[in-house]
Amino acid sequence: MSGAAFARGYNALKEQIDAPIAAFLSSCVHCGMCAEACLFFTETGDPQYTPIRKVEPLRRVWEQEYTFWGKLSKALGLSKPLTDQDLTDWETLVYDSCTLCGRCSMVCPVGNDIAYMIRKTREGMAAAGHAPEGLIGATQRAITIGSPMGVKLPALQAQIRHTEKEFDLKIPVDVEGTDYLCMLSSMEIMNFPEYIGSIARIFKQADVSWTLSSEAFEATNSGIQIGVSDIAAQLVQRIVDAAEKLKVKAVISPECGHAYMAIRWEGPNLVGKRFGFKVVHILEVLDELRAQGRLKVADRETRKLTYHDPCQIGRRGGVLEQPRNLINMVAENFVEMPEAGKMNWCCGAGGGVSTNERADALRLKTFARKKSQLDAVNPDALVSACSNCRIHLEEGLEEYHMDIPLLSLTETIADHLSDT
Amino acid sequence: MTDAEFLLWVRGPAFNIALFIMLAGIVVRFMEILLMGRKTNLAEARGSEMAGGLNTIWRRTLPDADTFRRSGFTIIAGNVFHIGLFVVIFLFVPHILVFERLFGVSWAGLPSNIVDATTVVTIVALLAVLVHRVKDPVLRMLSNFSDYLAWLVTILPLITGWLAFNRVGLSGSTLIGLHILSVELLMVLFPFTKLSHAFTLVLARWYNGAIAGYKGVQS
Amino acid sequence: MKKDQTIGEVLRERGISRRSFLKFCASTASLMALPPSMIPVIAATLEKARRPSVIWLSFQECTGCTESITRSDSSTLEDLIFNVISLDYHHTLQACAGHFAEHIREQVIKDNAGKYILIVDGSIPVKDGGVYSTIAGMSNEQILKETAAHAAAIVAVGTCSAYGGIPKADPNPTGAVSVSDLIKDKPIVNVPGCPPIPNVITGVLVQFLTFGLPELDALGRPKAFYGQSIHDRCYRRPFYDKGLFADSFDDEGARKGWCLYKLGCKGPTTYNACATEKWNFGTSFPIQAGHPCLGCSEPDFWDAGSFYSALSTPTENIGKTAIYATAGGLLAGAAIGGVLRARKQAAVKAHQRVTIDDLDKES
Amino acid sequence: MTVHGTPGTSPGCGSGSPCEIPTGNLIPLLHEIRHALERWLDSGEEHAIDLRGIPMAPGEEDQLLATLGEGELHADLSLTGKSVVIETRFPAVWLVTHYNTDERIVGRYIEVCEMPAILKSQTEDARAGLEYLGKLLNENNLQ
């Protein structure tokens, strides 16, 4: 471990602190309410998981570098400077026990956006070499191979061929001048290939002009999860380049929650310029098609369905009504879990936690929160719109011996469309 | 120093010093925050920063039902002592006279005996908050010296004020003098402890709401 | 009149009935806030007490205190006590003057050494050798020290002698001090007030004759008379409790007799018997007359901020302080904020690009 | 008993206008008198209340006096200034008022007893009277 790495991390923390963070840290009254909003605390009862505590390295840097009194007390030896050991101690708190779900940011009485600060803290942690192995590997694969899961173009092409054959339709690739460039997450290629077919069927019926890109199909962004803006910008740039090359009007984020966050909200800021195209989530596109009457439903789902709001799509992304409109279009019996919507509980796998094998046991433990939410409504099937959530939900349901089928919202829509 | 001299000192030079430190401190703290700046958001906005910010400033005062259920004690005790402090500070006629001297405006106060009762309730709530802070594992872990100091300088004026109003123990001048002195201690520490949340909270809530509002997200 | 008579003997000699004496004892007991059951005890003790010799010295004063006791418009029960004490020397009242008067003072000191009571009104100027007030070529300080040396006890009547009073008010041109500033080795009973309530002056003497040196508060005042504040005994206190205040001297609240706190009443910090004892034979007292208490029985009452600004308010110009503080804060904030901003910009400039090779700790 | 609304009294505050808020001392005072009267009847224990020691709003004392009323006995004493002793309409409850020579009140007590001490003949005075009577007889050779 080199001192140079710590200096780089320390500087990264200094770079991240802005007026909102200064306002947040000035306002914290140590009331502890964020703990009750965090599933890592509620499911373990361990006070170290209190969200605001996770930003302690950032707070120390703020206090000692950016407040007059903090600087003074540091000079007088009244406060300890941040050390590399502190970062080592905080690594599991910043990465393993935070999904950046932002639920704490909703309950803080003084209005602190704690998730915003943890995201920033990760910049310093990663730059100082304190990111978890799992995330480092995924990030390296994303840069070198093009996808965190190591999915390469041939794998996608195989899925495309398979899907074209299965549904007897054509999937456009690298078509210039379409309305939409559709992005995917590698989980959708590897684990849930039905997604590609669903999109193709829906768009065919609704007569949407769209394409995939062979140069940029991966929408997920490990750079954001690990907290390295430089890398995240590189990954976003690939999509920007593809979108500009294909001259599309808009880029569609896949169901994956943090991919949406990465392209829609962080993307322009990462690459440092406004996009010349729109970025929309697939649910926004589908709901718009629904509103325009371009989706025709053949039959309606009779099973009792409930919907899990992926944090980055709902609470942090603002796509809350669209999934409900869409489910109600195809289902007769849609029920809400308690606290659904903007206050929904995270599945436990977001923010890179699912990529971090070290956190597996903790991640499964916190699934108890989702279980109790599900138990309250006892649905026949669970719908969601994030492949990362889906993988973890499946694992969790199995772990807790719950026999509830898991559906992708896009696929559910596709399955109930009339073929005409 | 006789108690008359003491009262004169706290009403005179000491008050001036405390007021100066508090106001200058607040301004400095504000500028420390604001001058840190914020990058322009380049993502296409879906909503309004201003609307989100303003909404969150007041909306965050009211917790949602489930948060209330989980953090009931913190919310109730917190609200009781905050509302109590508001009533005691801003609706007690002798206090309003101080604000009148400072700002030139005054408003109607509450009957003093109601303020007196509110003071007792507020003190009890603050004591409960302290017990909670010491006993609750999360709060115990989060708490540092500054938290207890802030608690102390908040409850002291309430206690001394109650004693002064009810004229317990010492002479009238000493009681009022001690009360004013304890307020001055609060004023001096106000900008430099977490008590500063009283004004930075507006910024914090605004930023939170603005970040959300820009994205068209509820907060 | 013989010097060693008891008070009872003097009274009987003067044809004062026992009932009249009881009546006097009753009003005195009331004044001392003693239960009426104590009246017979006071009567019995006082009757047997020796008739004391008294020297009254007046220094820097306005004669208000003497006026207070000797109001000539009526003969009062309080006169009784002055009839029985042997007021041997009083600067202002004595008929004789000049060297003869001073001779009497010296004689009394000599004849009653260690037994006489010294009453002082007025403060003592000590600046410039005490030239600001002299009697028969002696400075007040000299007279006081000489007379106090053989006194049994000293009663400092009025706020001037008790605490310096108005002569001592800022900037105190004569260097006025109180009796207790100069005399440290004698029991001193302060009877402050500007002037003190006449009954209280006699009451203190009765108390002294009856029970000896009274219990004093921290400011040397007999607790029996100064034990409670004006505020605590004020009939307008219920208005204070209910938050009903007069805002000016001629508003509705003033007419309705509401609390005068906002008009600067010093009742809460003033310890005196005005609110129950009242003035002019129980007719009224300042608050009842519609004027806030000035706090005249407290030290430095003249310098304790405006008579008309409320006790809770700061005495100095806080509006100005607020403006200076804000301006100072803006300047300091701009300077500090500028430094912090520069520090942040330096950090941004010092940014080292993070690549995937930097992520591994081993790298 | 309507204490607050006793006819004939016009309570005032300060400069004579009606007093909105009484000190609230009136009713407790009447209770004190009642308890004292009970004790005196039971055990003969006497009780006195010094009205000057109790804060009263202007008019409240008038209300008290109107409530107590005037009973059968009214004695004017010529002391140093007048003193007036009346038995209120509640027997054994006395009102003793001392005036100075200007007929201003200098003291006022409510006494609960058989007879206020000030009414009783004083042995010291009696002794002096006896002496004077003897002297009178002696001087005039009336033995």
Side-chain angles (χ1 to χ4, degrees), chain A residues 175-186:
Chain A
V175 181
E176 266 187 46
T178 56
D179 288 348
Y180 293 111
L181 167 63
C182 198
M183 302 300 300
L184 302 167
S185 84
S186 38

Side-chain angles (χ1 to χ4, degrees), chain C residues 25-91:
Chain C
C25 292
S27 69
T28 307
S30 160
L31 192 61
M32 288 191 273
L34 291 172
S37 58
M38 282 299 285
I39 297 171
V41 179
I42 295 171
T45 320
L46 199 54
E47 270 184 318
K48 292 194 187 78
R50 292 280 150 197
R51 179 168 186 252
S53 192
V54 172
I55 295 179
W56 185 308
L57 299 177
S58 296
F59 299 133
Q60 285 194 133
E61 45 88 41
C62 67
T63 317
C65 298
T66 303
E67 280 291 334
S68 177
I69 303 170
T70 58
R71 285 150 315 160
S72 52
D73 65 315
S74 71
S75 70
T76 67
L77 281 167
E78 283 68 42
D79 289 347
L80 270 177
I81 193 68
F82 283 97
N83 286 332
V84 300
I85 64 168
S86 172
L87 185 52
D88 295 313
Y89 176 94
H90 191 301
H91 276 325

Side-chain angles (χ1 to χ4, degrees), chain D residues 117-135:
Chain D
I118 199 126
L119 276 184
K120 294 176 187 163
S121 296
Q122 307 290 312
T123 44
E124 289 87 344
D125 290 347
R127 204 167 287 125
L130 175 65
E131 201 176 295
Y132 180 57
L133 185 59
K135 205 166 130 195

